[in-house]
Amino acid sequence: MLSILQAAGWPIIPLVLCSIVALALIIERFLSLRADRVAPGKLLDEVMTVTRGSLPPVDTINKLAENSVMGQLLAQGLRAVAAEPRIAEPALRRAFETAGRDAVHQLERNLNALGTIASAAPLLGLLGTVIGMIEIFGASGATAGTPGGNPAELAHGISVALYNTAFGLIVAIPALMFYRHFRARVDAYTLSLEQAAEAMVPHLLRLGAGGRR
């Protein structure tokens, strides 16, 4: 590996850094976008069962918010009703929408960075290719009187060009694949959060109406 990096020259250093950052982002997103940390399957049913008769205490709502991203969303709706028992439907929906935007922002964290690496890596590889070509033509021009030029300098320029092109693609292709994968996950989770909010709105309105009687 060290010999490859030496043959690729200094242009490969940004690509190595991009590969390290991309790997760290992929691991972080895999851990953060697990279903049990975003939208546990039975959480909505459990919340609706617990709140069927009355609002839970503040401690329970706080624990719900710490459960998952969906828990944060549902807890925001419960807090809105607890703060204003006579809350109207538009106000309750606005509370869910605000919490939903925060949740989606949390789910999308670091995705733009991963997408940027996927887009920039081929360009960095192309930059290395251009630098290698410049070295090739420079070696040919500097030794114009020598047939074939300096073989060592020509070989180094070719190595810089080819290694950077290959490494740029090696970094970009997995980064793009994981970016698309995580984007699809976020879209699916966003739909689940929207459906959970839609189910909670009439439930909480009935709960508030029961508290007013």
Side-chain angles (χ1 to χ4, degrees), residues 171-194:
V171 174
I173 292 173
L176 180 61
M177 293 174 63
F178 281 109
Y179 172 78
R180 295 294 186 186
H181 171 71
F182 293 138
R183 173 58 62 185
R185 273 197 184 185
V186 170
D187 291 343
Y189 286 140
T190 300
L191 179 60
S192 297
L193 295 177
E194 291 176 353

Side-chain angles (χ1 to χ4, degrees), residues 6-32:
Q6 291 174 344
W10 66 265
I12 205 171
I13 294 176
L15 285 170
V16 173
L17 296 177
C18 285
S19 67
I20 295 173
V21 174
L23 180 60
L25 294 177
I26 289 170
I27 293 174
E28 188 275 335
R29 285 293 83 193
F30 259 123
L31 296 176
S32 298

